[in-house]
PDB file of all heavy atoms in Angstrom:
ATOM      1  N   MET A1466     -87.214-142.790 115.585  1.00 63.00           N
ATOM      2  CA  MET A1466     -87.135-141.468 115.919  1.00 63.00           C
ATOM      3  C   MET A1466     -87.702-140.646 114.719  1.00 63.00           C
ATOM      4  O   MET A1466     -87.584-140.970 113.525  1.00 63.00           O
ATOM      5  CB  MET A1466     -85.704-140.988 115.999  1.00 63.00           C
ATOM      6  CG  MET A1466     -85.351-139.496 115.986  1.00 63.00           C
ATOM      7  SD  MET A1466     -83.681-139.055 116.181  1.00 63.00           S
ATOM      8  CE  MET A1466     -83.112-139.153 114.727  1.00 63.00           C
ATOM      9  N   LEU A1468     -88.553-136.742 112.969  1.00 92.00           N
ATOM     10  CA  LEU A1468     -88.025-135.368 112.877  1.00 92.00           C
ATOM     11  C   LEU A1468     -89.188-134.506 112.743  1.00 92.00           C
ATOM     12  O   LEU A1468     -90.311-134.759 112.235  1.00 92.00           O
ATOM     13  CB  LEU A1468     -87.191-135.306 111.504  1.00 92.00           C
ATOM     14  CG  LEU A1468     -86.035-136.240 111.361  1.00 92.00           C
ATOM     15  CD1 LEU A1468     -85.424-136.111 110.091  1.00 92.00           C
ATOM     16  CD2 LEU A1468     -85.024-135.947 112.493  1.00 92.00           C
ATOM     17  N   VAL A1547     -88.800-131.293 121.934  1.00 95.00           N
ATOM     18  CA  VAL A1547     -87.582-131.526 121.054  1.00 95.00           C
ATOM     19  C   VAL A1547     -86.412-130.748 121.803  1.00 95.00           C
ATOM     20  O   VAL A1547     -86.696-129.500 122.082  1.00 95.00           O
ATOM     21  CB  VAL A1547     -87.770-131.057 119.677  1.00 95.00           C
ATOM     22  CG1 VAL A1547     -86.512-131.095 118.919  1.00 95.00           C
ATOM     23  CG2 VAL A1547     -88.888-131.810 118.970  1.00 95.00           C
ATOM     24  N   THR A1548     -85.288-131.299 121.882  1.00 95.00           N
ATOM     25  CA  THR A1548     -84.183-130.693 122.679  1.00 95.00           C
ATOM     26  C   THR A1548     -82.950-130.359 121.693  1.00 95.00           C
ATOM     27  O   THR A1548     -82.062-129.632 122.009  1.00 95.00           O
ATOM     28  CB  THR A1548     -83.636-131.512 123.869  1.00 95.00           C
ATOM     29  OG1 THR A1548     -83.297-132.858 123.460  1.00 95.00           O
ATOM     30  CG2 THR A1548     -84.818-131.570 124.880  1.00 95.00           C
ATOM     31  N   ALA A1549     -82.962-131.068 120.512  1.00 94.00           N
ATOM     32  CA  ALA A1549     -81.765-130.938 119.646  1.00 94.00           C
ATOM     33  C   ALA A1549     -82.297-130.459 118.281  1.00 94.00           C
ATOM     34  O   ALA A1549     -83.347-130.851 117.862  1.00 94.00           O
ATOM     35  CB  ALA A1549     -81.091-132.293 119.502  1.00 94.00           C
ATOM     36  N   VAL A1550     -81.431-129.670 117.630  1.00 94.00           N
ATOM     37  CA  VAL A1550     -81.953-128.971 116.357  1.00 94.00           C
ATOM     38  C   VAL A1550     -80.714-129.105 115.401  1.00 94.00           C
ATOM     39  O   VAL A1550     -79.587-128.993 115.606  1.00 94.00           O
ATOM     40  CB  VAL A1550     -82.302-127.602 116.627  1.00 94.00           C
ATOM     41  CG1 VAL A1550     -81.172-126.747 117.256  1.00 94.00           C
ATOM     42  CG2 VAL A1550     -82.814-126.960 115.375  1.00 94.00           C
ATOM     43  N   LEU A1551     -81.113-129.405 114.120  1.00 91.00           N
ATOM     44  CA  LEU A1551     -80.145-129.450 113.079  1.00 91.00           C
ATOM     45  C   LEU A1551     -79.894-128.041 112.371  1.00 91.00           C
ATOM     46  O   LEU A1551     -80.571-127.632 111.545  1.00 91.00           O
ATOM     47  CB  LEU A1551     -80.683-130.358 111.924  1.00 91.00           C
ATOM     48  CG  LEU A1551     -79.692-130.681 110.777  1.00 91.00           C
ATOM     49  CD1 LEU A1551     -78.314-131.289 111.260  1.00 91.00           C
ATOM     50  CD2 LEU A1551     -80.248-131.711 109.896  1.00 91.00           C
ATOM     51  N   THR A1552     -79.060-127.222 113.062  1.00 90.00           N
ATOM     52  CA  THR A1552     -78.784-125.966 112.599  1.00 90.00           C
ATOM     53  C   THR A1552     -77.435-125.503 113.206  1.00 90.00           C
ATOM     54  O   THR A1552     -76.845-126.117 114.072  1.00 90.00           O
ATOM     55  CB  THR A1552     -79.868-124.968 113.072  1.00 90.00           C
ATOM     56  OG1 THR A1552     -79.591-123.617 112.530  1.00 90.00           O
ATOM     57  CG2 THR A1552     -79.774-124.766 114.596  1.00 90.00           C
ATOM     58  N   ASN A1553     -76.897-124.466 112.585  1.00 87.00           N
ATOM     59  CA  ASN A1553     -75.723-123.824 113.174  1.00 87.00           C
ATOM     60  C   ASN A1553     -76.127-122.441 113.814  1.00 87.00           C
ATOM     61  O   ASN A1553     -75.146-121.618 114.039  1.00 87.00           O
ATOM     62  CB  ASN A1553     -74.563-123.763 112.189  1.00 87.00           C
ATOM     63  CG  ASN A1553     -74.900-122.833 110.977  1.00 87.00           C
ATOM     64  OD1 ASN A1553     -76.042-122.403 110.842  1.00 87.00           O
ATOM     65  ND2 ASN A1553     -73.830-122.566 110.233  1.00 87.00           N
ATOM     66  N   PHE A1562     -81.167-125.168 123.411  1.00 96.00           N
ATOM     67  CA  PHE A1562     -81.157-126.355 122.441  1.00 96.00           C
ATOM     68  C   PHE A1562     -79.810-126.827 122.126  1.00 96.00           C
ATOM     69  O   PHE A1562     -78.853-126.060 122.130  1.00 96.00           O
ATOM     70  CB  PHE A1562     -82.012-126.003 121.266  1.00 96.00           C
ATOM     71  CG  PHE A1562     -83.415-125.666 121.457  1.00 96.00           C
ATOM     72  CD1 PHE A1562     -83.874-124.308 121.512  1.00 96.00           C
ATOM     73  CD2 PHE A1562     -84.384-126.623 121.801  1.00 96.00           C
ATOM     74  CE1 PHE A1562     -85.179-123.984 121.687  1.00 96.00           C
ATOM     75  CE2 PHE A1562     -85.665-126.348 122.120  1.00 96.00           C
ATOM     76  CZ  PHE A1562     -86.115-124.992 122.061  1.00 96.00           C
ATOM     77  N   ARG A1563     -79.621-128.110 121.813  1.00 94.00           N
ATOM     78  CA  ARG A1563     -78.463-128.736 121.451  1.00 94.00           C
ATOM     79  C   ARG A1563     -78.282-128.592 119.909  1.00 94.00           C
ATOM     80  O   ARG A1563     -79.120-129.086 119.271  1.00 94.00           O
ATOM     81  CB  ARG A1563     -78.300-130.170 122.003  1.00 94.00           C
ATOM     82  CG  ARG A1563     -76.886-130.882 121.620  1.00 94.00           C
ATOM     83  CD  ARG A1563     -76.817-132.203 122.416  1.00 94.00           C
ATOM     84  NE  ARG A1563     -77.934-132.990 122.171  1.00 94.00           N
ATOM     85  CZ  ARG A1563     -78.079-133.902 121.209  1.00 94.00           C
ATOM     86  NH1 ARG A1563     -77.013-134.129 120.357  1.00 94.00           N
ATOM     87  NH2 ARG A1563     -79.055-134.744 121.178  1.00 94.00           N
ATOM     88  N   LEU A1564     -77.304-128.105 119.479  1.00 93.00           N
ATOM     89  CA  LEU A1564     -77.120-127.953 118.081  1.00 93.00           C
ATOM     90  C   LEU A1564     -76.462-129.190 117.465  1.00 93.00           C
ATOM     91  O   LEU A1564     -75.282-129.541 117.957  1.00 93.00           O
ATOM     92  CB  LEU A1564     -76.189-126.622 117.733  1.00 93.00           C
ATOM     93  CG  LEU A1564     -76.676-125.294 118.210  1.00 93.00           C
ATOM     94  CD1 LEU A1564     -75.769-124.255 117.635  1.00 93.00           C
ATOM     95  CD2 LEU A1564     -78.056-125.059 117.831  1.00 93.00           C
ATOM     96  N   LEU A1565     -76.981-129.807 116.515  1.00 90.00           N
ATOM     97  CA  LEU A1565     -76.461-131.126 115.955  1.00 90.00           C
ATOM     98  C   LEU A1565     -75.525-130.714 114.800  1.00 90.00           C
ATOM     99  O   LEU A1565     -74.698-131.522 114.440  1.00 90.00           O
ATOM    100  CB  LEU A1565     -77.567-131.934 115.340  1.00 90.00           C
ATOM    101  CG  LEU A1565     -78.575-132.378 116.439  1.00 90.00           C
ATOM    102  CD1 LEU A1565     -79.771-133.178 115.765  1.00 90.00           C
ATOM    103  CD2 LEU A1565     -77.871-133.243 117.498  1.00 90.00           C
ATOM    104  N   PHE A1566     -75.609-129.466 114.191  1.00 76.00           N
ATOM    105  CA  PHE A1566     -74.792-129.128 113.176  1.00 76.00           C
ATOM    106  C   PHE A1566     -73.527-128.419 113.559  1.00 76.00           C
ATOM    107  O   PHE A1566     -72.513-128.289 112.830  1.00 76.00           O
ATOM    108  CB  PHE A1566     -75.610-128.232 112.196  1.00 76.00           C
ATOM    109  CG  PHE A1566     -74.889-127.982 110.818  1.00 76.00           C
ATOM    110  CD1 PHE A1566     -74.814-129.041 109.890  1.00 76.00           C
ATOM    111  CD2 PHE A1566     -74.370-126.795 110.458  1.00 76.00           C
ATOM    112  CE1 PHE A1566     -74.184-128.847 108.650  1.00 76.00           C
ATOM    113  CE2 PHE A1566     -73.778-126.537 109.295  1.00 76.00           C
ATOM    114  CZ  PHE A1566     -73.711-127.608 108.367  1.00 76.00           C
ATOM    115  N   GLY A1567     -73.486-127.994 114.784  1.00 54.00           N
ATOM    116  CA  GLY A1567     -72.403-127.228 115.350  1.00 54.00           C
ATOM    117  C   GLY A1567     -72.452-125.757 115.002  1.00 54.00           C
ATOM    118  O   GLY A1567     -73.311-125.328 114.336  1.00 54.00           O
ATOM    119  N   ILE A1568     -71.640-125.009 115.661  1.00 49.00           N
ATOM    120  CA  ILE A1568     -71.562-123.590 115.579  1.00 49.00           C
ATOM    121  C   ILE A1568     -70.554-123.287 114.571  1.00 49.00           C
ATOM    122  O   ILE A1568     -69.433-123.568 114.811  1.00 49.00           O
ATOM    123  CB  ILE A1568     -71.360-122.810 116.894  1.00 49.00           C
ATOM    124  CG1 ILE A1568     -72.588-123.147 117.829  1.00 49.00           C
ATOM    125  CG2 ILE A1568     -71.243-121.400 116.716  1.00 49.00           C
ATOM    126  CD1 ILE A1568     -72.477-122.559 119.192  1.00 49.00           C
TER     127      ILE A1568
END
Side-chain angles (χ1 to χ4, degrees):
M1466 173 178 78
L1468 303 173
V1547 175
T1548 59
V1550 58
L1551 184 59
T1552 186
N1553 65 349
F1562 296 104
R1563 185 169 51 92
L1564 304 186
L1565 297 176
F1566 192 69
I1568 297 176

